[in-house]
């Protein structure tokens, strides 16, 4: 009996996995074969979606870019006639674990702990999770361990918070455990707000039970009987799968009263976010769960003492909880064997931007940026020059190519001025303008500042104005000093992490790419040819079909040409508004 | 009809059991029911929760998800996250604005589309992306985005005809 799995995470679905699934389902109805059809989460190779896996006799064959037509071919040749179609294979795991296929280089360097089940089990089936060893950690923690032993195990593993700050998880748990109270809470921060980060979404969509199991174990360790998962509203599929997981966990007795026949009670509720980045900050998150405006509160008191509803609370992010069942089942030693001395274990990175293999990769801590981008990530798209990698989202910074040998861990990344963050890695090439990236992040933090602290509310706006001016070619030499001053003031005068880190993207680009700022300000040039006001627009004669749309849309009649003939832009008249690029139906307009 | 619609919503509110922190879920439920949060829903919610209307208004305006104006039949969210930005989301947003003749935050005159940008949809590897309602579309260009929007528009037109018949 073979099993067919279709990757139905958000990434798969947006690449067309629904049509692929429907085609396979229809084919199975018309011409039944000895096979079952299942869904699964994201295996990380988002760049080859939609993916279809066929598993039989201990082998796994994953096919990439499976359009409905390919699905039909695969069904007829592989499922019905046992013939592997090599040209579509992205990964072939033979009996014994030997790997082959075009994406072996992407998978082979990975160590999958958090992503252990993502892309291999049906996330809507608790039986699949149990068959993969699921809820064994909970069983062990509840039946064979005291809460002190659980905390000691997590401490010994060296696990640190995967949300970005890297606080030792076991230590955090011991604080909440040590504060006596009639009520305690476990909170899971699934408000993955950093643009460029999507590992939490994939884990929730691909393996929701792992997060639940981690939370229940935490509840047992700190003495809490209730948990909240605060999930972004932008992740409807994650919420749907979490709801299914919670319902089936209740049915099986992993949630509710007397879990596994013990005296321990624990239940979980999902709280849907309502669109506010600042709610990723834990005290703001609590305010939001309590039904208020999500504004940060002053710490201390810390959440372990007075958190949600003034009760001792432990808050970790999705990936941190997903590590816990593995650590309890396999032991702290096995976990600590991965990674570096102070940053143990593995980390999931979301590779995006100008990298060939955009997707999710889980590697041991301490791998260099270069290895991540070039070995796992497959290098830069179209073989362009690697310029920088942005880590840590709006709180992080841009690490330039000459520092690419920096090991990725909690010790080394902050030395560059960036932060580890939650694992988003946006790769930039020679066509990315670093001033524009700084402007982009300030635009984001300025809009998301909750407004409580004056320096964050107004300072970020002033910085944004300066950056906008520079990208329009209207910058003045004093602007650089103004940006530096404002950065220091905002960092020192903001209450929460949002303001304290908001200037980081500007500071790191000023540090490593000052020449680009200068080129914008002094020469009125954008070296990356990205800033609309500082480049010229051209029409590619090979692509232009002479449809006249651009000429009709041009506000200054700078485009000329007869219908059905190649059009030309008059550079003297062009006001660089970019209307021609966005109106072209054939992607024929380019900037240079 | 409108009264029945309202009654359906107030019926939902009966299930409110006084649990603290339910204000945001109640507002989400109102938005789901009405498509936005009308003034009268705000009043209903205030009367069952005893939270002053002014406080509720403060919560509504804090979160970007909540709308005080009706939205179009299809809600478009173009991702303006980092990965989409470096992949040309700005051109995409321009193309959508141009195709629909509205600015970000606006609704088309025929009430078919409302356009928003969103900080990140978490589909960075398929950048640039946009979401129409709950459907995510990836690897877009100004040209493909126009095609997709025209598809939705044709569907909406067909529906409108069918409803008239």
């Amino acid at each position: 009996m073979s099993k067919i799995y279709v990757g139905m995470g958000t990434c798969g679905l947006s690449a067309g996995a629904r049509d692929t699934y429907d085609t396979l389902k229809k084919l199975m109805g018309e011409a039944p074969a000895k096979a079952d059809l299942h869904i699964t989460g994201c295996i990380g190779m988002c760049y080859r979606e939609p993916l279809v896996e066929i598993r039989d006799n201990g082998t796994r064959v994953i096919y990439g870019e499976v359009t409905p037509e390919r699905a039909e071919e695969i069904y007829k040749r592989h499922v019905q006639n046992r013939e592997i179609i090599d040209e579509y294979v992205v990964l072939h795991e033979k009996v014994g674990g030997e790997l082959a296929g075009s994406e072996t280089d992407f998978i082979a360097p990975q160590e999958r702990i958090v992503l252990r089940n993502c892309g291999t089990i049906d996330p809507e089936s608790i039986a699949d999770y149990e068959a993969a060893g699921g809820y064994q950690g909970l069983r062990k923690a509840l039946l064979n361990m005291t809460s002190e032993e659980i905390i000691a195990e997590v401490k010994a593993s060296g696990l640190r918070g995967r949300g970005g700050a890297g606080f030792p998880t076991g230590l955090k748990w011991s604080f909440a455990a040590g504060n006596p109270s009639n009520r305690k809470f476990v909170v899971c921060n699934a408000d993955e707000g950093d643009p460029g980060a999507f590992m939490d979404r994939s884990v929730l969509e691909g393996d929701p039970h792992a997060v639940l199991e981690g939370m229940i174990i935490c509840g047992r360790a700190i003495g809490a009987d209730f948990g909240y998962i605060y999930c972004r509203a932008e992740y409807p599929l994650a919420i749907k799968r979490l709801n299914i997981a919670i319902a089936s966990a209740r049915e099986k007795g992993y949630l509710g009263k007397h879990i596994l026949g013990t005296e321990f009670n624990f239940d979980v509720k999902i709280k849907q976010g309502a669109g506010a980045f600042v709610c990723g900050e834990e005290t703001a998150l609590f305010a939001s769960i309590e039904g208020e405006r999500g504004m940060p509160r002053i710490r201390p008191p810390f959440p372990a003492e007075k958190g949600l509803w003034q009760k001792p609370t432990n808050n970790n992010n999705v990936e941190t909880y997903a590590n816990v069942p593995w650590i309890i089942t396999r032991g702290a030693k096995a976990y600590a064997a991965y990674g570096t001395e102070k940053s143990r274990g593995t980390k999931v990175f979301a590779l995006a931007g100008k990298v060939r293999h955009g997707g999710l990769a889980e590697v041991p801590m301490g791998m260099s940026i270069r290895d991540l981008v070039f070995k796992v990530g497959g290098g830069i798209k179209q073989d362009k020059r690697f310029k920088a990698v942005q880590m840590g989202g709006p709180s992080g910074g841009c690490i330039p190519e000459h520092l690419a040998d920096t090991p990725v861990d909690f010790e080394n990344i902050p030395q560059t001025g960036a932060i580890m963050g939650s694992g988003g890695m946006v790769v930039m090439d020679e066509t990315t303008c670093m001033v524009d990236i700084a402007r982009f992040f300030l635009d984001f933090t300025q809009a998301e500042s909750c407004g409580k602290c004056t320096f964050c509310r107004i300072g970020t706006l002033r910085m944004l104005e300066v950056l906008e001016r520079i990208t329009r070619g209207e910058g003045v030499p004093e602007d650089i000093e103004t940006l530096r001053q404002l950065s220091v003031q905002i960092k020192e005068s903001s209450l929460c992490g949002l303001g304290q880190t908001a200037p980081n993207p500007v500071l790191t680009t000023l540090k490593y790419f000052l020449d680009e700022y200068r080129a914008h300000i002094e020469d009125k040039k954008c070296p990356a040819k990205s800033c609309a006001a500082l480049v010229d627009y051209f029409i590619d004669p090979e692509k232009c079909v002479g449809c006249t749309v651009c000429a009709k849309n041009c506000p200054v009649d700078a485009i000329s040409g007869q219908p059905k003939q190649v059009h030309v832009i008059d550079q003297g008249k062009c006001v660089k508004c970019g209307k021609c690029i966005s109106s072209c139906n054939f992607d024929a307009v380019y900037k240079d | 009809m409108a009264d029945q619609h309202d009654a359906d919503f107030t019926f939902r509110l009966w299930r409110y059991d006084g649990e603290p922190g339910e204000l945001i879920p109640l507002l989400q439920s109102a938005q789901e029911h009405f498509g936005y949060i009308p003034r009268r829903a705000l009043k209903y919610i205030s009367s069952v929760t005893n939270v002053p209307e002014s406080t509720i208004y403060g919560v509504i305006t804090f979160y970007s998800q909540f709308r005080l104006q009706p939205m179009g039949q299809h809600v478009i969210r173009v991702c303006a996250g980092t990965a989409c930005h470096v992949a040309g989301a700005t051109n995409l947003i321009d193309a959508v604005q141009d195709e629909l003749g509205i600015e970000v935050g606006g609704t088309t005159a025929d009430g078919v589309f409302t356009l928003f940008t969103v900080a990140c949809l978490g589909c960075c590897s398929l950048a640039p992306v946009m979401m129409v309602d709950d459907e995510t579309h990836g690897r877009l260009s100004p040209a493909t985005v126009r095609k997709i929007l025209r598809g939705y528009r044709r569907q909406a037109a067909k529906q409108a005809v069918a409803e008239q018949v």
Side-chain angles (χ1 to χ4, degrees), chain A residues 28-99:
Chain A
M28 290 184 69
E30 287 167 1
K34 282 186 180 164
D36 298 327
L37 184 60
H38 301 269
I39 63 162
T40 187
C42 167
I43 198 167
M45 290 185 276
C46 307
Y47 57 101
R48 299 299 299 269
E49 294 280 4
L51 295 167
V52 170
E53 176 177 337
I54 295 163
R55 224 177 281 175
D56 43 23
N57 306 325
T59 66
R60 300 172 63 189
V61 177
I62 304 179
Y63 291 108
E65 285 117 16
V66 186
T67 54
E69 297 76 50
R70 267 193 195 181
E72 197 168 339
E73 190 180 344
I74 290 166
Y75 188 77
K76 286 189 176 140
R77 288 171 65 184
H78 188 150
V79 180
Q80 292 182 318
N81 294 316
R82 314 242 154 227
E83 175 199 354
I84 293 171
I85 312 169
D86 286 324
E87 53 175 316
Y88 306 151
V89 173
V90 293
L91 198 73
H92 182 178
E93 191 181 323
K94 298 174 185 169
V95 184
E98 192 199 335
L99 296 178

Side-chain angles (χ1 to χ4, degrees), chain A residues 10-15 18 46-50 65 192-198 201 226 228 230 232-236 269 271-276 278-279 284 287-295 309 351-354 358-359 381 390 393 426-428 432 436-437 439-441 444 448 450 553 577-579 581-587 591, chain B residues 17 19-28 31-32 51 54-67 77 79-99 103 117-131 133-147 150:
Chain A
T10 299
C11 42
L13 288 170
S14 54
R18 171 71 56 195
C46 307
Y47 57 101
R48 299 299 299 269
E49 294 280 4
E65 285 117 16
E192 185 173 52
D194 282 2
F198 53 95
R201 173 182 65 70
F226 204 84
Y228 287 98
Y230 187 89
R232 296 180 78 191
E234 287 87 345
Y235 290 174
K269 190 168 184 174
K271 281 277 181 176
Q272 213 173 314
V278 72
C279 290
S288 183
I289 292 180
E290 292 169 17
E292 294 173 13
R293 289 164 72 91
M295 292 218 191
W309 282 305
L351 292 169
K354 304 294 176 74
K381 276 183 194 168
Q390 208 285 341
V426 182
V427 178
M428 292 157 185
T432 316
D436 178 59
I437 287 298
R439 183 204 58 76
F440 167 80
F441 280 113
F444 178 83
E448 294 293 342
C450 78
N553 276 290
C577 69
K579 272 254 166 194
I581 287 198
S582 62
S583 67
C584 181
N585 283 317
F586 304 92
D587 299 326
K591 295 187 274 192
Chain B
D17 55 3
E19 194 189 330
E22 283 303 287
L23 178 58
I24 292 172
L26 288 176
L27 289 170
Q28 283 165 335
Q31 176 142 316
E32 192 190 290
V51 179
S54 56
T55 307
I56 300 180
Y57 184 78
V59 171
I60 291 173
T61 53
F62 185 84
Y63 295 98
S64 61
Q65 188 194 18
F66 297 130
R67 301 284 142 204
R77 291 185 174 85
C79 182
T82 323
C84 290
H85 181 76
V86 297
T90 321
N91 290 334
L92 210 63
I93 295 164
D94 286 347
V96 178
Q97 293 188 134
D98 184 66
E99 177 72 27
E103 300 275 302
T117 57
V118 54
C120 184
L121 290 172
C123 295
C124 312
S125 45
L126 298 171
V129 297
M130 74 169 177
M131 231 169 144
D133 307 324
D134 276 352
E135 200 81 19
T136 315
H137 302 268
R139 295 174 185 143
L140 298 170
S141 71
T144 54
V145 86
R146 282 170 192 274
K147 262 186 218 148
R150 284 169 198 168

Side-chain angles (χ1 to χ4, degrees), chain A residues 50 91 109 162 167 180 184 198 214 236 249 263 308 330 364 366 396 398 409 418 469 548 569 584:
Chain A
L91 198 73
R162 296 299 193 243
F167 193 82
K184 292 183 191 178
F198 53 95
E263 286 304 297
L308 188 60
R330 309 273 188 104
C398 294
D409 62 27
R469 190 160 73 213
T548 74
I569 300 174
C584 181

Side-chain angles (χ1 to χ4, degrees), chain A residues 16-38:
Chain A
R18 171 71 56 195
D19 292 341
T20 308
Y21 182 86
D22 290 344
T23 306
L24 287 168
K25 187 147 199 191
K26 197 175 118 224
L27 286 167
M28 290 184 69
E30 287 167 1
K34 282 186 180 164
D36 298 327
L37 184 60
H38 301 269

